[in-house]
Amino acid sequence: MYYFYILRCSDNSLYSGVTTNPKRRVKEHNFDNVKASKYTRARRPVKLVYTEKHKSKESALKREAEVKSWKKKEKEKLISSN
């Protein structure tokens, strides 16, 4: 199982990604200087605000690409609908 996820950073920006374990990945974004993305390292702490399950990595990556192309307002609507 793969997950598409969205994080809210300390500066209120949004970061999205794909993982097999959202809980572990959030921990890495917050505490691991090697495995965290460069973007989230500079905007800690981050909080998980949205997840979607996908059966394949390809499906989760397609969803990530789709949502990344949206404006922040559309992403916020997605988060609040959850």
Side-chain angles (χ1 to χ4, degrees), residues 8-9 11 14 16-17 36 39 41 48-49 60 62 69-70 75:
R8 184 171 310 279
C9 301
D11 65 355
L14 298 174
S16 61
Y39 187 86
R41 277 196 304 263
L48 184 65
V49 292
K62 279 184 184 180
S69 72
W70 295 357
K75 294 175 191 177

Side-chain angles (χ1 to χ4, degrees), residues 17-75:
V18 171
T19 186
T20 56
N21 185 331
K23 190 175 182 178
R24 172 191 46 80
R25 190 67 183 118
V26 171
K27 203 174 199 178
E28 290 170 352
H29 280 296
N30 276 318
F31 302 108
D32 191 320
N33 287 331
V34 176
K35 293 183 179 178
S37 73
K38 191 174 186 178
Y39 187 86
T40 59
R41 277 196 304 263
R43 292 164 178 83
R44 290 177 176 158
V46 300
K47 180 181 175 185
L48 184 65
V49 292
Y50 184 81
T51 59
E52 271 181 19
K53 283 185 181 180
H54 290 265
K55 291 183 180 181
S56 70
K57 186 176 184 178
E58 294 77 22
S59 171
L61 288 169
K62 279 184 184 180
R63 180 62 168 162
E64 179 189 21
E66 176 189 12
V67 173
K68 277 188 172 183
S69 72
W70 295 357
K71 294 182 181 194
K72 187 174 183 191
K73 203 173 202 177
E74 294 169 296
K75 294 175 191 177

